[in-house]
C-alpha cells in the first residue's frame, strides 16, 4: 500500500503538470475561439511565465498560420467581390436592354465615333511629344513655348474627359483593370504636372520627362484593332513586346549569374595567373571580377572579342578553349533558350487571344439568341409559345416588326418566302426553330451551312437516281408488255384466220353433203 501510495505520489507532480498543460491549452483554445485571437499576447505571456516554450512555439505558429489564412480568405473574398462588381458593371455597360445610370454616356462611349476620336487624339499627341522632344532651349522661341502649353492643356483635358466618360460608362472597376493602369497613371501624371504643379511654378523636370511616356498609349490603338484579321500579326508582336518584361528580368538574372560564375574563373585563371602578370591587356580586361564580367558580356555579344582573345591566346593557347566554351554556354545555349521561351509565350498569347475571341463570339451569340427570343415573343400574338402561319403574316404587317426584320437583313420583298424557309413542314414554329432559322438567314453562309446544303443536295441526287432507276425498270417492263401484246395480237390474228378457214371448211362440207344426198 505504501509502495503504491509512494508511486502515486511520485507520479503526482508530472500528472498534475500534464493536467495543467492540458487544461491550459484547452482554456487558451477556448479563449482564442471566444476572442478571435485578440489575446494572443496574453496567451504567449502565460506560456513564458510557465516556461512552456514548446506551447509558446505552437501558439506563435498557429497564430501566424491563422493570420495568413484569414488574410488569404479576405483577399479571396475581396477579389471575388471585385470580379462580381466588374462583371456586373461591364454587363450593364454592354447590354443596352439593362438600366444604366448614364444611358447617354453609355451610348457615346460604345459608339465607333468615340473610339475613332480617342485614337486620333492619341495619334496626334504622339507627334506633339516628338516635336517637344526635338526642341532645345537654344532653338525654342516664345511662340513654341506658348504652343507647347496649349497642347499640354488640350491633351490633358482630352484624356481626362475620355477617362471620366469611360469610368462613368464601365464603372469604377475599370480603373483597376491591368490594361488601364498605364492610362490612369499617364492621365494622373498629366494633371499633376500641367494643372497642379505648373500653376504654382513648381518645376519638376523629371515628371515632365515622364510625360513622354504618353507615346505608349499607342498600345491602346493597337488593342482597339487587335480582333481585326488584318492586324492580327501586329497585335501579336505588340503584345509579345509588352508582356516580355518578366522574361527579360529573369534573362538578366541568368546572364548575371553566368557572367559572375565565368568572371570568377577568368579572373583566377587569367587575371591572377603568373603567365599574364606582365600583360597589360590581361589586367585591363580580366584584372578583377567586374572587369571580367564586362569583358565576358562583350564576348557574349560577339563584339570585337578577337581583339583581346588573340593576344591572350599567343601567351596561353588554352584561353581560346575557355572563350569557345563560354560562347557555347552563353550564346549558343542560354540566349537560344531565352528566344525559345519568348516564342513559346507568343504562342500561348496567341492561343489566349483565340480563346478570348471565342468567348466574345459566344457572348454575342447568347445576346443574339436572347434578342431573337424577344422578337419571337413580339410576333407570338396569342402567347402560346408557338408561331402559326397566320400569326406570322399578321405580325409582319406591323411597322416595328418590318423594321426589326430589316435590321436582320430581311427585306420586305423576302417576307413572303420567309415562312416557307423557316417552316419544316410542321405548320408552326417553336422558339428554337425560329431562332435557328433567323440566325441561318443572317450574314454570309457558314461552312456548316454549306456542308449541310451539300449533304441535302447529295441526298436529293441519290433520290433522283433512285427515281431514274425505277423509271428505267418501268420502261423495260412496259417494253416487255408491249412485246407480249404484239405476240398476243399476232396469235389472235392467226387464230382469227384459222377460224375463218374452219368456217369455210364447214360450209364446204355442208354443201358437199347436200349434193351427195
Amino acid at each position: 500500500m505504501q509502495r503504491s501510495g509512494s508511486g502515486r505520489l511520485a507520479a503526482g507532480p508530472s500528472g498534475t503538470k500534464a493536467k495543467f498543460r492540458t487544461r491550459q491549452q484547452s482554456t487558451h483554445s477556448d479563449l482564442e475561439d471566444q476572442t478571435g485571437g485578440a489575446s494572443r499576447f496574453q496567451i504567449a505571456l502565460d506560456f513564458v511565465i510557465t516556461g512552456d516554450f514548446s506551447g509558446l512555439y505552437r501558439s506563435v505558429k498557429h497564430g501566424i498560420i491563422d493570420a495568413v489564412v484569414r488574410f488569404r480568405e479576405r483577399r479571396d473574398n475581396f477579389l471575388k467581390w471585385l470580379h462580381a462588381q466588374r462583371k456586373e458593371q461591364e454587363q450593364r455597360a454592354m447590354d443596352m436592354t439593362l438600366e444604366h445610370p448614364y444611358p447617354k454616356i453609355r451610348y457615346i462611349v460604345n459608339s465607333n465615333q468615340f473610339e475613332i476620336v480617342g485614337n486620333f487624339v492619341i495619334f496626334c499627341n504622339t507627334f506633339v511629344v516628338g516635336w517637344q522632344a526635338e526642341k532645345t532651349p537654344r532653338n525654342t522661341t516664345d511662340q513654341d513655348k506658348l504652343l507647347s502649353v496649349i497642347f499640354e492643356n488640350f491633351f490633358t483635358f482630352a484624356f481626362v474627359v475620355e477617362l471620366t466618360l469611360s469610368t462613368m460608362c464601365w464603372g469604377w472597376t475599370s480603373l483597376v483593370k491591368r490594361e488601364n493602369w498605364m492610362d490612369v497613371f499617364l492621365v494622373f501624371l498629366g494633371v499633376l504636372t500641367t494643372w497642379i504643379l505648373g500653376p504654382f511654378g513648381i518645376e519638376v523636370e523629371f515628371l515632365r520627362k515622364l510625360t513622354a511616356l504618353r507615346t505608349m498609349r499607342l498600345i491602346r490603338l493597337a488593342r482597339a484593332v487587335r480582333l481585326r484579321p488584318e492586324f492580327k500579326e501586329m497585335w501579336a508582336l505588340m503584345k509579345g513586346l509588352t508582356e516580355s518584361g518578366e522574361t527579360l528580368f529573369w534573362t538578366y538574372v541568368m546572364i548575371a549569374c553566368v557572367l559572375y560564375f565565368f568572371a570568377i574563373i577568368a579572373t583566377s585563371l587569367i587575371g591572377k595567373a603568373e603567365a599574364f602578370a606582365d600583360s597589360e591587356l590581361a589586367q585591363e580586361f580580366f584584372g578583377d571580377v567586374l572587369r571580367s564580367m564586362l569583358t565576358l558580356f562583350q564576348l557574349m555579344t560577339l563584339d570585337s572579342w578577337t581583339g583581346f582573345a588573340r593576344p591572350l591566346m599567343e601567351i596561353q593557347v588554352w584561353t581560346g578553349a575557355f572563350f569557345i566554351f563560354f560562347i557555347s554556354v552563353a550564346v549558343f545555349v542560354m540566349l537560344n533558350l531565352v528566344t525559345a521561351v519568348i516564342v513559346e509565350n507568343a504562342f500561348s498569347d496567341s492561343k489566349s487571344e483565340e480563346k478570348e475571341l471565342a468567348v466574345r463570339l459566344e457572348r454575342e451569340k447568347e445576346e443574339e439568341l436572347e434578342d431573337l427570343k424577344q422578337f419571337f415573343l413580339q410576333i407570338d400574338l396569342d402567347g402560346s409559345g408557338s408561331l402559326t402561319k397566320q400569326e406570322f403574316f399578321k405580325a409582319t404587317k406591323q411597322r416595328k416588326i418590318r423594321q426589326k426584320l430589316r435590321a436582320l437583313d430581311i427585306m420586305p420583298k423576302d417576307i413572303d418566302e420567309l415562312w416557307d424557309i423557316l417552316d419544316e413542314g410542321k405548320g408552326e414554329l417553336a422558339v428554337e426553330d425560329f431562332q435557328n432559322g433567323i440566325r441561318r438567314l443572317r450574314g454570309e453562309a457558314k461552312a456548316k451551312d454549306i456542308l449541310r446544303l451539300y449533304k441535302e443536295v447529295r441526298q436529293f441526287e441519290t433520290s433522283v437516281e433512285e427515281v431514274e432507276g425505277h423509271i428505267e425498270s418501268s420502261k423495260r417492263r412496259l417494253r416487255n408488255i408491249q412485246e407480249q401484246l404484239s405476240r398476243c395480237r399476232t396469235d389472235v390474228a392467226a387464230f382469227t384466220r384459222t377460224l375463218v378457214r374452219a368456217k369455210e371448211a364447214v360450209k364446204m362440207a355442208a354443201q358437199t353433203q347436200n349434193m351427195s344426198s
Side-chain angles (χ1 to χ4, degrees):
M1 295 293 293
Q2 293 176 355
R3 188 177 305 168
S4 62
S6 61
R8 288 195 296 272
L9 290 174
S14 62
T16 304
K17 188 175 182 180
K19 292 180 180 179
F20 175 75
R21 286 182 178 178
T22 304
R23 185 170 60 255
Q24 187 182 26
Q25 292 174 359
S26 62
T27 303
H28 290 162
S29 62
D30 295 339
L31 184 60
E32 289 180 4
D33 293 338
Q34 294 175 3
T35 62
S39 59
R40 290 190 182 278
F41 178 75
Q42 182 179 358
I43 296 172
L45 185 62
D46 292 341
F47 280 120
V48 173
I49 294 174
T50 57
D52 188 4
F53 294 101
S54 61
L56 177 63
Y57 169 75
R58 290 192 297 271
S59 178
V60 173
K61 178 182 176 182
H62 290 309
I64 295 174
I65 293 175
D66 293 341
V68 172
V69 170
R70 285 197 298 269
F71 173 75
R72 289 180 176 177
E73 289 178 353
R74 291 175 182 175
R75 184 197 63 182
D76 294 339
N77 293 333
F78 175 75
L79 292 178
K80 290 180 181 178
W81 175 80
L82 182 61
H83 178 71
Q85 290 290 324
R86 181 185 302 172
K87 186 176 181 181
E88 179 182 355
Q89 292 180 1
E90 288 180 353
Q91 183 68 22
R92 185 178 61 186
M94 295 173 59
D95 193 352
M96 294 297 179
T97 60
L98 298 179
E99 184 179 358
H100 194 276
Y102 309 104
K104 294 183 178 180
I105 294 178
R106 178 178 62 177
Y107 176 78
I108 293 173
V109 173
N110 288 329
S111 63
N112 294 329
Q113 290 78 7
F114 181 81
E115 190 72 21
I116 293 173
V117 172
N119 293 332
F120 179 74
V121 172
I122 293 173
F123 198 71
C124 294
N125 179 63
T126 304
F127 285 99
V128 173
V129 171
W131 172 74
Q132 292 175 343
E134 186 180 0
K135 292 296 180 179
T136 61
R138 294 181 180 180
N139 61 1
T140 302
T141 61
D142 295 338
Q143 185 179 2
D144 293 336
K145 293 181 180 179
L146 179 61
L147 287 176
S148 179
V149 172
I150 294 174
F151 284 140
E152 286 290 336
N153 285 273
F154 170 75
F155 287 117
T156 301
F157 174 77
F159 292 147
V160 168
V161 170
E162 179 197 19
L163 183 62
T164 304
L165 294 178
S166 299
T167 305
M168 295 175 66
C169 175
W170 297 97
W172 63 268
T173 55
S174 62
L175 299 176
V176 297
K177 293 180 67 175
R178 175 180 292 183
E179 55 267 24
N180 294 333
W181 288 353
M182 180 61 70
D183 291 343
V184 174
F185 170 73
L186 293 176
V187 172
F188 172 76
L189 184 62
V191 172
L192 180 64
T193 57
T194 305
W195 293 348
I196 298 178
L197 300 180
F200 289 98
I202 302 175
E203 292 293 337
V204 184
E205 190 65 23
F206 175 72
L207 293 179
R208 289 196 175 276
K209 290 181 179 180
L210 286 180
T211 56
L213 295 176
R214 285 186 298 188
T215 56
M216 297 184 64
R217 300 198 72 184
L218 287 175
I219 299 175
R220 176 187 165 181
L221 180 61
R223 190 185 299 120
V225 297
R226 71 185 187 278
L227 297 178
R228 300 184 67 86
E230 55 269 21
F231 296 99
K232 181 179 180 181
E233 290 77 11
M234 183 271 292
W235 172 245
L237 294 175
M238 182 67 70
K239 189 174 183 181
L241 181 63
T242 55
E243 295 184 355
S244 60
E246 185 178 356
T247 303
L248 289 177
F249 170 76
W250 291 111
T251 300
Y252 292 144
V253 171
M254 292 299 300
I255 290 176
C257 293
V258 172
L259 290 178
Y260 183 72
F261 173 74
F262 279 94
I264 294 175
I265 298 176
T267 304
S268 301
L269 297 180
I270 300 176
K272 303 301 180 182
E274 296 181 358
F276 300 97
D278 299 332
S279 176
E280 296 181 0
L281 184 65
Q283 299 304 319
E284 180 183 356
F285 285 92
F286 298 98
D288 53 31
V289 176
L290 292 179
R291 292 181 181 181
S292 298
M293 289 181 67
L294 181 59
T295 303
L296 291 177
F297 183 76
Q298 179 183 353
L299 178 60
M300 187 176 65
T301 58
L302 302 178
D303 179 26
S304 304
W305 63 279
T306 57
F308 61 84
R310 289 184 182 276
L312 295 178
M313 289 174 60
E314 292 177 358
I315 300 175
Q316 292 290 336
V317 181
W318 59 264
T319 56
F322 172 77
F323 294 145
I324 293 175
F325 179 71
F326 175 78
I327 291 174
S328 301
V329 174
V331 181
F332 297 157
V333 177
M334 190 178 66
L335 294 184
N336 286 328
L337 286 177
V338 172
T339 304
V341 171
I342 294 176
V343 171
E344 183 180 0
N345 291 336
F347 277 114
S348 61
D349 291 338
S350 178
K351 291 181 181 179
S352 64
E353 286 291 334
E354 293 178 357
K355 292 181 180 179
E356 180 183 353
L357 180 60
V359 171
R360 179 180 178 183
L361 293 177
E362 184 66 23
R363 184 172 62 249
E364 292 178 354
K365 178 181 178 181
E366 293 178 357
E367 294 176 356
E368 180 183 5
L369 291 177
E370 183 64 24
D371 190 17
L372 290 176
K373 183 178 180 180
Q374 297 298 328
F375 181 50
F376 177 85
L377 295 178
Q378 293 179 4
I379 297 179
D380 187 14
L381 301 179
D382 58 357
S384 61
S386 61
L387 189 66
T388 62
K389 186 175 182 179
Q390 291 76 11
E391 289 179 340
F392 176 79
F393 283 104
K394 184 177 180 180
T396 53
K397 295 179 180 179
Q398 302 178 11
R399 182 178 179 183
K400 294 183 178 179
I401 302 300
R402 286 181 174 269
Q403 291 178 352
K404 183 64 178 178
L405 290 174
R406 189 179 290 106
L408 296 174
D409 298 331
I410 300 175
M411 296 295 104
K413 62 180 181 180
D414 301 327
I415 294 179
D416 295 337
E417 301 178 0
L418 184 59
W419 177 264
D420 297 332
I421 296 174
L422 298 178
D423 187 19
E424 296 180 355
K426 301 178 182 179
E428 60 182 13
L429 292 176
V431 178
E432 295 181 356
D433 297 335
F434 181 79
Q435 290 176 340
N436 295 331
I438 295 295
R439 287 182 63 243
R440 291 175 185 175
L441 289 175
R442 295 187 62 185
E444 299 178 355
K446 302 296 181 61
K448 61 180 182 180
D449 298 328
I450 297 176
L451 182 61
R452 186 181 296 109
L453 179 61
Y454 177 74
K455 182 179 179 181
E456 293 177 355
V457 171
R458 290 294 303 272
Q459 292 177 353
F460 181 73
E461 290 179 352
T462 303
S463 302
V464 171
E465 292 177 355
E466 291 179 356
V467 172
E468 289 180 352
H470 291 307
I471 292 174
E472 292 294 333
S473 61
S474 300
K475 287 181 179 180
R476 289 194 297 269
R477 291 177 182 177
L478 288 175
R479 285 195 294 269
N480 293 331
I481 292 173
Q482 289 178 354
E483 293 177 356
Q484 292 177 2
L485 288 175
S486 299
R487 288 195 294 270
C488 290
R489 191 179 298 108
T490 305
D491 295 338
V492 169
F495 181 73
T496 303
R497 290 194 298 270
T498 303
L499 288 177
V500 171
R501 294 192 187 105
K503 185 177 180 181
E504 292 177 353
V506 170
K507 289 181 179 179
M508 291 178 63
Q511 293 176 359
T512 305
Q513 186 176 5
N514 292 331
M515 292 177 62
S516 60
S517 60

